[in-house]
């Protein structure tokens, strides 16, 4: 279960760092900017991608090959889903600050116009599938490297105890 806890820790830390305020002196974007961003996130299907991040893969990793009762699995599922829900809410609350760092309101309006074109609609339509496929691909690739890396780390830790 160590690899799973390691992955959980890295994932939670990454999301925590992303959801932290980006810059203390950064001004909260205007209501107009936030409304334009809301439209952009909807038309680009970024919101749909965020909704896909629910912790189900993490739950599978935690519970696979574990001798758990259905009650334990249900409790773990509840804990992970609640944590991910909170993480996504925190992340969403920081989106205006994040996007305003890189895009003006006019930029977002231009992107919205692009997403209304056939190519933009295709990009938005496939966004969730591409996200899911890239997650699966990343997991497959990581699983090829993690055992060797963990073995090397354990060896270093064992040598340091001698």
């Amino acid at each position: 279960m160590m690899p799973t806890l390691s992955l959980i820790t890295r994932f939670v830390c990454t999301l925590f760092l992303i959801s932290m305020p980006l810059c203390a002196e950064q001004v909260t974007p205007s209501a107009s900017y936030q409304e334009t961003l809301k439209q952009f996130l909807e038309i680009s299907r970024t919101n749909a991608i965020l909704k896909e991040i629910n912790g189900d893969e993490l739950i599978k990793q935690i519970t696979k090959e574990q001798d758990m009762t259905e009650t334990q699995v249900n409790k773990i599922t509840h804990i992970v889903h609640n944590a991910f829900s909170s993480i996504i809410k925190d992340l969403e609350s920081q989106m205006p600050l994040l996007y305003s760092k890189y895009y003006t309101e006019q930029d977002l309006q231009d992107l919205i116009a692009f997403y209304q074109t056939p190519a933009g609609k295709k990009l938005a339509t496939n966004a969730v599938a591409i996200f899911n496929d890239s997650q699966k691909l990343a997991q497959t690739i990581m699983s090829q490297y993690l055992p060797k890396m963990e073995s090397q780390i354990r060896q270093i830790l064992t040598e340091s105890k001698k």
Side-chain angles (χ1 to χ4, degrees), residues 44-81:
S44 68
R45 301 207 22 115
T46 302
N47 287 344
I49 292 171
L50 287 175
K51 289 177 183 154
E52 289 289 315
I53 305 172
N54 59 16
D56 286 344
E57 286 302 315
L58 182 59
I59 293 165
K60 286 179 192 173
Q61 288 179 1
I62 293 170
T63 58
K64 99 174 163 185
E65 299 178 19
Q66 298 292 327
D67 186 24
M68 295 183 179
T69 66
E70 185 176 338
T71 301
Q72 289 172 317
V73 171
N74 289 340
K75 286 179 180 180
I76 289 169
T77 300
H78 180 74
I79 289 167
V80 172
H81 281 166

Side-chain angles (χ1 to χ4, degrees), residues 17-122:
L17 290 172
I18 289 171
S19 68
M20 288 176 53
L22 299 169
C23 182
E25 54 286 335
Q26 193 171 8
V27 178
T28 301
S30 68
S32 171
Y33 184 94
Q34 291 187 44
E35 183 57 37
T36 302
L37 176 62
K38 183 178 177 184
Q39 291 171 7
F40 167 75
L41 295 175
E42 192 62 39
I43 198 167
S44 68
R45 301 207 22 115
T46 302
N47 287 344
I49 292 171
L50 287 175
K51 289 177 183 154
E52 289 289 315
I53 305 172
N54 59 16
D56 286 344
E57 286 302 315
L58 182 59
I59 293 165
K60 286 179 192 173
Q61 288 179 1
I62 293 170
T63 58
K64 99 174 163 185
E65 299 178 19
Q66 298 292 327
D67 186 24
M68 295 183 179
T69 66
E70 185 176 338
T71 301
Q72 289 172 317
V73 171
N74 289 340
K75 286 179 180 180
I76 289 169
T77 300
H78 180 74
I79 289 167
V80 172
H81 281 166
N82 282 345
F84 272 73
S85 176
S86 296
I87 290 166
I88 296 303
K89 284 178 186 173
D90 288 349
L91 182 57
E92 287 174 334
S93 74
Q94 297 298 320
M95 293 296 247
L97 290 174
L98 174 66
Y99 275 80
S100 68
K101 186 175 175 182
Y102 300 100
Y103 299 106
T104 65
E105 187 169 356
Q106 183 60 54
D107 292 334
L108 292 175
Q109 290 169 350
D110 293 345
L111 288 167
I112 289 168
F114 166 73
Y115 276 101
Q116 293 171 335
T117 68
K121 288 177 183 178
K122 186 173 184 175

